[in-house]
Amino acid sequence: MQRVLLCDDEVMNRKVAKKILTKEGYEVVEAENGEIALNYLKNEPFDLILMDLMMPVMDGYTATEIIKNDEKLATIPLIIISALSDREAIHQGLALGADEYLTKPFDLIEFKLRVKNALKMNHLQDQKSEKEILHIMAQMAEFRDNETSQHTLRVGEFSALLAKHYGWSDEEVELIRLAAPMHDIGKIGIPDAILLKPGKLSDEEFEKMKKHVTIGYHLLSHKQTPLLQLAAEIAYTHHEKFDGSGYPRGLKGDEIPISGAIVAIVDVFDALTSKRPYKEPFSMEKTLEILKDGREQHFHPELLDLFFEHLNEVIAIQHDYQDS
Ligand SMILES: [Fe+2]
């Protein structure tokens, strides 16, 4: 639920605005002056600020100025609330960095639309920059050990395909398409001597290599957006095995999130069928045999069956995302 901070000293104004906003499905927190608003902002996340100008203790100009000069708070959309007649006050508020203004008394339709638009703009900007950053991070992780490969993109596409056939909603399918390519992001923290070693890793080296899942998890779990949450979950669980013999936690069966169980299958499939600096690609026949052997040991049986059922679509993706 999106959270709106409503800062106005007049109880009646807050009451009216809160009623409209609550009806529209927003969670509303009330503050009666700028100082109280700033206290809330320090401790709780908000998606929108509605700011009256004339208030005791700390007025809306001061509060707006502080908010818009604060690195963390400046990105929250802020709408000034002012009397229609007071043009100058509105200009001053906008000059301080307010994103929009609303005039009192509220016009119901205008009020709803301005709030909705401010939230939508912010959401779109957030999503866009989040996707771009994630894409760059995935490429960085991949670039070190595999400069030309489309591996991460294929893993995203394969994962989306499996999630769709498993019955996930369109929205969830899009999320995993973007999140799955991040599964090995934690390799950023693995030394070259291990990551790029051509031969088999020693036990000690393998223990260090395993850390890429926890490193990835920690990198991705800072900001709690649905996309990053899913990416963190996948990074953390894509090396778990159905029989509990995987890492890092040795999760078993249904303890493993479906997202991680999906990526476990498609990551292995893609690694086997791709050429790597240290190996030629395995034949499709051999690869499928290995996957089948892993049913219920390594792989979630139902998901593996789905993978085989839709193998023609898998092969089509492989064809569309070939390594250069
Ligand atoms: Fe991995």
Side-chain angles (χ1 to χ4, degrees):
M1 190 188 273
Q2 289 182 301
R3 307 184 78 230
V4 179
L5 179 60
L6 176 59
C7 187
D8 194 322
D9 60 324
E10 285 167 52
V11 183
M12 265 322 281
N13 284 344
R14 293 206 304 269
K15 224 175 160 182
V16 173
K18 185 175 179 174
K19 200 174 164 196
I20 302 169
L21 292 168
T22 309
K23 220 173 158 190
E24 294 292 296
Y26 305 118
E27 185 187 335
V28 180
V29 174
E30 295 177 56
E32 59 189 61
N33 63 56
E35 197 175 282
I36 294 172
L38 284 172
N39 263 330
Y40 274 120
L41 286 164
K42 250 184 248 162
N43 299 309
E44 296 175 26
F46 288 96
D47 301 289
L48 178 67
I49 303 163
L50 295 177
M51 182 68 75
D52 183 27
L53 289 174
M54 297 319 226
M55 291 179 292
V57 187
M58 183 193 283
D59 64 24
Y61 299 110
T62 312
T64 301
E65 194 173 7
I66 293 173
I67 290 165
K68 288 301 174 187
N69 282 302
D70 183 296
E71 208 181 317
K72 274 194 196 138
L73 303 177
T75 53
I76 306 173
L78 186 148
I79 300 180
I80 282 179
I81 303 170
S82 173
L84 180 62
S85 54
D86 203 351
R87 283 269 144 207
E88 208 179 307
I90 291 170
H91 290 165
Q92 206 180 329
L94 292 173
L96 288 171
D99 304 275
E100 262 286 8
Y101 67 90
L102 267 167
T103 49
K104 287 190 276 196
F106 294 136
D107 172 296
L108 183 65
I109 293 171
E110 187 189 1
F111 181 72
K112 282 195 219 170
L113 285 175
R114 293 229 184 199
V115 165
K116 207 171 142 193
N117 285 344
L119 283 165
K120 198 161 84 187
M121 282 301 291
N122 195 43
H123 187 58
L124 285 175
Q125 266 171 11
D126 265 8
Q127 269 192 339
K128 191 165 172 286
S129 52
E130 186 186 18
K131 278 182 196 169
E132 277 166 5
I133 289 165
L134 281 186
H135 184 62
I136 291 167
M137 281 170 71
Q139 283 188 319
M140 276 165 60
E142 171 120 26
F143 193 72
R144 266 181 68 215
D145 61 339
N146 218 339
E147 289 171 38
T148 54
S149 163
Q150 307 256 48
H151 169 69
T152 56
L153 281 180
R154 284 193 301 265
V155 164
E157 294 299 321
F158 293 148
S159 299
L161 178 76
L162 261 190
K164 185 181 83 181
H165 290 305
Y166 191 72
W168 282 21
S169 70
D170 289 353
E171 207 177 313
E172 291 167 322
V173 168
E174 284 319 303
L175 278 184
I176 199 170
R177 194 193 306 282
L178 297 165
M182 245 64 61
H183 63 285
D184 272 342
I185 196 86
K187 284 188 176 171
I188 282 177
I190 305 300
D192 279 353
I194 295 173
L195 188 65
L196 306 176
K197 186 177 172 179
K200 201 172 179 283
L201 298 179
S202 71
D203 288 350
E204 198 189 323
E205 287 166 337
F206 188 56
E207 285 309 310
K208 281 188 186 153
M209 184 65 165
K210 282 180 177 178
K211 293 223 160 63
H212 80 276
V213 297
T214 36
I215 297 170
Y217 176 71
H218 288 304
L219 279 174
L220 294 164
S221 58
H222 283 292
K223 204 178 160 198
Q224 291 292 308
T225 68
L227 179 55
L228 281 170
Q229 249 172 344
L230 184 63
E233 178 179 278
I234 290 169
Y236 204 23
T237 60
H238 73 281
H239 286 290
E240 298 289 0
K241 293 184 178 176
F242 198 74
D243 66 359
S245 65
Y247 65 88
R249 289 178 288 173
L251 299 181
K252 218 177 190 166
D254 291 340
E255 288 167 9
I256 305 166
I258 291 299
S259 62
I262 286 176
V263 174
I265 296 172
V266 304
D267 187 29
V268 169
F269 171 80
D270 199 71
L272 293 176
T273 50
S274 304
K275 182 176 157 47
R276 292 283 163 94
Y278 51 88
K279 78 168 217 353
E280 288 303 311
F282 284 26
S283 70
M284 186 59 81
E285 200 189 345
K286 173 95 181 137
T287 302
L288 296 181
E289 209 176 289
I290 294 172
L291 287 183
K292 238 179 237 162
D293 285 346
R295 192 177 187 275
E296 281 181 42
Q297 279 94 51
H298 190 162
F299 306 117
H300 187 295
E302 209 182 314
L303 288 170
L304 192 72
D305 294 346
L306 273 180
F307 184 83
F308 275 92
E309 217 175 291
H310 299 280
L311 204 57
N312 53 342
E313 290 170 77
V314 171
I315 291 166
I317 290 170
Q318 241 185 348
H319 190 80
D320 287 347
Y321 292 83
Q322 280 177 31
D323 292 335
S324 51

